[in-house]
Amino acid sequence: MAETLTITSLGHEGDGIAETASGQKVFVPFTLPGEVVTAEIEGERGHLVSIVRPSPDRIDPACKHFTVCGGCALQHWAPERYQAWKRELVVHAFAQRGIETEVDPVVPVAPHTRRRAVFTLARDDKALVLGFNKRDSHDVLAIEECPLLVPEIENRRDKLAALANRLVDQGKRARMTVVSTDTGLDVSLEGARKPGRADYEALGRAATDGSICRLTVDGAEIVMSRVPELRNDPIVLYPSPGGFLQATAPSEKSMADLVDAAVGKSGPVLDLFSGIGTFTLKLARRFPVLAVEGEARLLQALDRSMRFSKNIKAVTMRRRDLFLNPMAPPELKPFQAVVFDPPRAGAKAQAEMLAKSAVPRIVGVSCNAATLARDARILIDGGYRLTRVTPVDQFLWSGHIEVVATFELARKGSTTRRVKLS
């Protein structure tokens, strides 16, 4: 039986929060604050049945697959209110760690800018399906459109499915990572069956129409008509097959500009969790940079980028697992600035070492505001002052937000006002 609910707020994943008549908290997807809705309740989850009184901030979603596809949660919210909520996610994450700080307005990102897509491939009784997982399901939705993706990817869904058609057997699933580069699509297929000679020849022919620059299957290169390049003169980045890459070019530029400004006017610079060199090479236009990364293939991509980029200072690379073996204070001593951009788990061990150092400036970048706030607390307690926090909406219409935070060394023993959450 459906129950009438009033949505009071949104949770950190974008689901509406309400209380039942008995006082139980429930989460109802695709609702907005202030709305009155009816929902079928199962445990803490509510399935939206109808909207009795819609929010004035409700808008038509941009995609026909919204509410079915598991990729987006908030296409139905007016941009101004949506961006304000994203900013509040960051404010709340830092407040939970007792950090009261000004947070900049969200740097927005437009639709059709996602240059990296990870598709699921599954073969049913009829054909191969290329798409994304349905919401709260392992079933694959065959997408007909995606307003997140750049047209170079969105308009070639059928081409991409045809490429994988030979290698996904009945009842099997695989993953396809597609990156739109300046020289074509870089396609990496993982989890399919091992290709034979006939497959190599067929895939090679299919990938030579000019739209695909490289095709790899489980790390083995099948064809490369052109080297994948991400050009930002005088810098060129060379992505690794299926490897990490900032999801959109505009958000990458915003973050790189923020990092570059935060580093200031003194080097050398240490870039931790450097990846393929997103921040390394921009900083290397002004300073020598040591780039430290745990994945060998990302460093190989950075090495190529370093050799083909122009007008940069010396870049030194070092492979190191910074989770198990963080850079210690004596190793940090030569640097005037440190940048760290870890995975979602954050950089707790490295932050503890940085907090004991005397590096003048530190810049943290993270796709997880909660772990960045935890690391910020460590740095502040070690004597650093948080000077700026900027959210960047790299993950449009989702509950995720990228954040750039800047720290300056203050006198040891300095304090930061803690806030009490109500």
Side-chain angles (χ1 to χ4, degrees), residues 114-119 132 149 153 176-179:
R114 182 74 66 87
R115 65 182 177 186
R116 182 179 189 270
V118 181
F119 296 107
F132 301 123
L149 299 178
I153 298 177
M176 176 182 279
T177 302
V178 184
V179 175

Side-chain angles (χ1 to χ4, degrees), residues 119-131:
F119 296 107
T120 299
L121 300 162
R123 185 178 295 281
D124 59 20
D125 294 334
K126 297 179 180 179
L128 181 78
V129 177
L130 178 146

